[in-house]
């Protein structure tokens, strides 16, 4: 009787294990065991050049929509900045605008538009997109920006932030303009000039020993 009970238990365990689904994928008779959750994670890696290229194309489709060929007034690029630029970039732009507002428009920085690399625009499009992945959170995308019959070579420094790829810097390779560095330099010069003006307005007396 005991032998029958033991046999039934063994059969139950055998069939129970056979019904369980494994998360392990066996590739070939001698292949190592691979967890399918790892495979899925690798396939969804955001630092994938194709994913980044799709993202850049989608961003500039939005740019083209924001800058229609027929226009009466210049669009505000605040919405584009909020949607597609990094927190650091937006903070830097706000600092420049705030500093320029203090001088009531004199020597303002933004005499051109980094989204279209010009003051005026027609039909906006990009071509020849190339992606260079730096690491899981940084990549560069280069392309030709077409506007008013001219093509400008542009490089975007991208950062992975808030779960998506965002623009951390615009570089006009044709005119050799690094927008982030130029804004930083502009702020430094404005700060230095403000200190000099403050010193000129004040009278400092020194006692000669």
């Amino acid at each position: 009787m005991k032998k029958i009970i033991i046999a039934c238990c063994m059969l139950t365990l055998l069939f129970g294990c056979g019904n369980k689904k494994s998360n392990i994928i066996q590739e070939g008779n001698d292949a190592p065991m691979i967890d399918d959750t790892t495979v899925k994670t690798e396939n969804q890696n955001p630092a994938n050049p194709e994913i980044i290229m799709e993202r850049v194309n989608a961003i500039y489709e939005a740019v083209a929509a924001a800058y229609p060929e027929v226009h009466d007034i210049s669009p505000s690029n605040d919405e584009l900045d909020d949607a597609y630029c990094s927190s650091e970039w937006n903070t830097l732009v706000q600092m420049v605008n705030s500093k320029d507002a203090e001088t009531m428009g004199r020597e303002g920085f933004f005499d051109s538009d980094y989204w279209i690399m010009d003051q005026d625009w027609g039909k906006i499009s990009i071509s020849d997109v190339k992606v260079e992945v730096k690491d899981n959170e940084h990549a560069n995308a280069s392309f030709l920006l077409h506007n008013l019959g001219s093509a400008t070579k542009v490089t975007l420094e991208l950062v992975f932030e808030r779960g998506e790829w965002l623009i951390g810097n615009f570089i006009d390779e044709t005119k050799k303009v690094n927008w982030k560095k130029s804004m930083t330099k502009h702020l430094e010069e404005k700060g230095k000039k403000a200190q000099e003006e403050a010193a000129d307005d004040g009278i400092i007396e020194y006692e000669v020993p």
Side-chain angles (χ1 to χ4, degrees):
M1 182 68 178
K2 290 181 178 179
K3 291 181 179 180
I4 295 173
I5 294 172
I6 292 171
C8 290
C9 291
M10 291 179 67
L11 288 171
T12 301
L13 289 171
L14 181 62
F15 284 108
C17 292
N19 289 332
K20 290 182 179 179
K21 294 183 179 179
S22 174
N23 286 331
I24 305 300
I25 301 172
Q26 179 71 42
E27 298 187 347
N29 294 330
D30 299 325
M33 305 298 272
I34 302 173
D35 192 334
D36 67 347
T37 57
T38 302
V39 174
K40 290 176 182 177
T41 301
E42 290 177 353
N43 289 339
Q44 295 174 354
N45 182 6
N48 181 319
E50 292 184 1
I51 292 175
I52 298 172
M53 189 178 297
E54 290 177 1
R55 173 67 170 170
V56 171
N57 281 317
I59 289 174
Y60 273 83
E61 286 177 4
V63 173
Y67 290 80
E69 290 185 74
V70 180
H71 55 274
D72 296 322
I73 58 173
S74 299
S76 169
N77 51 26
D78 290 345
E79 291 184 5
L80 290 174
D81 287 3
D82 290 341
Y84 303 117
C85 292
S86 68
S87 299
E88 183 185 16
W89 175 268
N90 282 317
T91 298
L92 194 55
V93 170
Q94 290 169 8
M95 290 174 65
V96 170
N97 284 330
S98 177
K99 185 62 68 175
D100 286 349
E102 294 175 4
T103 57
M104 296 178 291
R106 290 185 292 110
E107 300 177 358
F109 178 79
F110 294 109
D111 59 352
S112 184
D113 190 333
Y114 43 83
W115 283 107
I116 59 174
M117 298 301 173
D118 208 332
Q119 293 179 329
D120 300 315
W121 70 94
K123 182 179 181 181
I124 304 294
S125 65
I126 63 173
S127 64
D128 299 330
V129 181
K130 296 179 178 63
V131 172
E132 179 187 4
V133 177
K134 300 293 187 179
D135 54 44
N136 287 338
E137 295 181 349
H138 300 88
N140 287 351
S142 61
F143 52 84
L144 291 176
L145 172 64
H146 302 278
N147 179 27
L148 293 174
S150 64
T152 302
K153 186 176 181 181
V154 176
T155 296
L156 302 180
E157 293 180 351
L158 303 167
V159 294
F160 193 72
E161 187 179 287
R162 304 197 302 268
E164 56 191 350
W165 288 99
L166 301 173
I167 302 171
N169 188 19
F170 297 76
I171 301 174
D172 183 336
E173 302 284 4
T174 301
K175 297 176 183 176
K176 306 300 180 185
V177 178
N178 184 313
W179 282 81
K180 185 176 178 180
K181 287 184 178 179
S182 296
M183 283 193 288
T184 302
K185 183 179 179 181
H186 179 74
L187 288 172
E188 291 173 353
E189 291 175 349
K190 281 277 189 176
K192 184 178 179 180
K193 189 172 183 178
Q195 290 178 346
E196 292 173 349
E197 290 176 350
D200 290 340
D201 291 340
I203 300 175
I204 304 174
E205 295 181 356
Y206 296 95
E207 291 183 3
V208 180

